[in-house]
């Protein structure tokens, strides 16, 4: 992949999805526990391409949800967040493999800051607690089809 430090098995999938969606230059980023993540160029600017990993952990909310439903669930949760920076826009696509393209939240991740000695363990714990509270608030919402949001 252009600019990637190493070739990943998911690179060919990322390239195929990028071509289907009119995106360019997929560059592998760190994978999440459920998705592969690639930085891509879109007509609107840099974005993140996200698609399911075959070895993804089970959905903690509903293990029977399909990868497409998981992405739609995440899009819904992100749309409900207020007063916290989240990746927008967040668009889900029914491509050859379900995927999402989302905006980039600028800045350095806590993981990278710690690796580069720009953050100590105590500060990292504070960031993790704040992120945990935000995620707990997001996950305390009920799915829209239950009528209790």
């Amino acid at each position: 992949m252009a600019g990637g430090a190493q070739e990943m098995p998911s690179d060919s999938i990322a390239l195929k999805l990028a071509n289907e969606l009119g995106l360019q230059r997929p560059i592998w980023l760190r994978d999440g526990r459920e998705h592969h993540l690639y930085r891509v160029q879109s007509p609107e600017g840099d974005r993140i391409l996200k698609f399911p990993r075959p070895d993804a952990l089970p959905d903690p909310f509903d293990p029977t949800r399909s990868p497409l439903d998981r992405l739609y669930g995440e899009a819904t949760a992100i749309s409900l967040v207020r007063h916290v920076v989240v990746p927008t826009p967040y668009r889900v696509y029914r491509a050859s493999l379900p995927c999402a393209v989302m905006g980039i939240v600028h800045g350095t991740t806590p993981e990278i800051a710690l690796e580069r000695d720009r953050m100590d363990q105590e500060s990292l714990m504070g960031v993790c607690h704040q992120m945990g509270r935000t995620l707990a608030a997001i996950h305390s919402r009920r799915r829209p089809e239950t009528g209790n949001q």
Side-chain angles (χ1 to χ4, degrees):
M1 293 271 102
Q6 65 189 69
E7 189 162 322
M8 301 299 295
S10 55
D11 285 353
S12 61
I13 299 168
L15 189 57
K16 180 180 180 184
L17 289 170
N19 287 333
E20 286 178 38
L21 302 174
L23 305 170
Q24 298 178 1
R25 295 185 39 202
I27 300 171
W28 177 75
L29 302 172
R30 297 172 186 226
D31 287 342
R33 66 183 206 104
E34 299 172 9
H35 300 97
H36 293 294
L37 303 170
Y38 283 78
R39 186 180 196 114
V40 293
Q41 288 184 336
S42 78
E44 298 84 29
D46 285 356
R47 298 285 188 258
I48 301 296
L49 171 65
K50 178 179 194 169
F51 57 94
R53 294 172 52 154
D55 62 345
L57 295 175
D59 185 332
F61 186 75
D62 178 355
T64 65
R65 279 200 302 182
S66 71
L68 182 63
D69 287 339
R70 290 172 84 165
L71 290 169
Y72 277 124
E74 186 171 87
T76 299
I78 286 174
S79 73
L80 298 172
V81 174
R82 301 291 180 262
H83 311 297
V84 176
V85 178
V86 293
T88 58
Y90 188 106
R91 295 186 183 106
V92 178
Y93 294 92
R94 294 173 180 258
S96 58
L97 182 66
C99 61
V101 177
M102 60 187 183
I104 296 173
V105 175
H106 293 283
T108 300
T109 66
E111 181 182 19
I112 292 171
L114 182 67
E115 288 174 359
R116 294 180 181 167
D117 290 327
R118 294 184 183 160
M119 179 181 285
D120 59 28
Q121 289 285 338
E122 186 176 334
S123 297
L124 177 63
M125 291 303 293
V127 169
C128 289
H129 283 268
Q130 180 182 9
M131 291 171 70
R133 285 190 298 274
T134 300
L135 289 170
I138 291 169
H139 290 283
S140 70
R141 300 285 202 166
R142 301 259 183 206
R143 291 198 305 192
E145 60 268 23
T146 66
N148 183 9
Q149 294 187 1

